[in-house]
Amino acid sequence: MIKEYETKLGSVKIDTERTIIFEYGIPGFEDLKQFVLLEPEDTYPIMWLASLEEKNVAFPVTFPQLIRNDYQFTLPQDLTEYLELDKPEEAIILSILTIPEKEDEITINLAAPIIISQKNHKGVQCLIESDEYKIRHLLKEELERSKVILSAQKDGE
């Protein structure tokens, strides 16, 4: 069923089957359970995880592998079962961005990715226990790091 919602990005018509349920909320927003992933062409690959319950809440998100090409982690078994994931490609993995006024100060949260099941449309924010990933990585530094890795891989071929 198609419903119209007011979001931070304006009025949008959403197929209710696209609703993502965060049963436990998102840290800091535990009372908000229903979200949708909006993908405006003018900001892509930055997308927006928008609340369907509070129009002023929308998180800028992107695919962490676009920023850090060697990004990987193991999802705990209890979350794999909760999300009903049989294979990795059944999950959408996103990272929240912080976008201040100065473009060169944009950060990406690699320590707590958003995991969305394409099977049951449930979502969670998972805290990765790793010294490698922090809540705030400067986007420009991560992109530069990935360029160096790709360059080294090409040189090694």
Side-chain angles (χ1 to χ4, degrees):
M1 173 170 57
I2 304 292
K3 282 181 73 176
E4 190 164 347
Y5 293 93
E6 287 299 319
T7 71
K8 191 171 185 172
L9 283 85
S11 182
V12 292
K13 290 184 180 178
I14 302 291
D15 183 338
T16 55
E17 290 186 19
R18 289 186 49 212
T19 301
I20 303 160
I21 303 299
F22 286 80
E23 283 185 65
Y24 307 104
I26 293 174
F29 299 87
E30 290 85 357
D31 293 341
L32 302 178
K33 311 291 187 198
Q34 297 180 36
F35 288 81
V36 67
L37 187 61
L38 301 176
E39 303 174 36
E41 286 180 26
D42 60 333
T43 65
Y44 195 84
I46 296 174
M47 298 163 284
W48 298 85
L49 188 60
S51 170
L52 297 178
E53 298 159 302
E54 172 53 59
K55 71 178 184 179
N56 292 319
V57 175
F59 303 101
V61 295
T62 195
F63 300 110
Q65 298 87 349
L66 291 177
I67 309 304
R68 186 169 185 158
N69 57 1
D70 62 346
Y71 184 71
Q72 59 184 357
F73 62 92
T74 301
L75 192 62
Q77 185 64 32
D78 61 330
L79 289 181
T80 302
E81 290 171 8
Y82 170 75
L83 295 170
E84 300 176 15
L85 301 173
D86 296 319
K87 356 180 216 196
E89 51 273 5
E90 293 173 346
I92 298 170
I93 300 170
L94 301 168
S95 286
I96 295 177
L97 300 167
T98 302
I99 306 177
E101 283 188 36
K102 291 184 179 178
E103 200 173 288
D104 64 342
E105 294 177 1
I106 295 173
T107 62
I108 185 169
N109 179 345
L110 296 175
I114 300 285
I115 316 294
I116 299 168
S117 170
Q118 294 186 78
K119 285 180 78 174
N120 64 14
H121 302 281
K122 289 183 181 178
V124 296
Q125 186 170 26
C126 170
L127 184 60
I128 300 171
E129 294 188 27
S130 167
D131 294 335
E132 190 174 354
Y133 301 131
K134 299 178 184 78
I135 290 175
R136 285 198 168 92
H137 290 264
L138 278 174
L139 193 69
K140 66 181 182 179
E141 288 178 2
E142 288 301 323
L143 289 170
E144 190 56 42
R145 181 186 172 283
S146 287
K147 283 182 194 173
V148 169
I149 291 171
L150 288 173
S151 178
Q153 288 173 346
K154 286 182 183 175
D155 292 345
E157 289 179 358

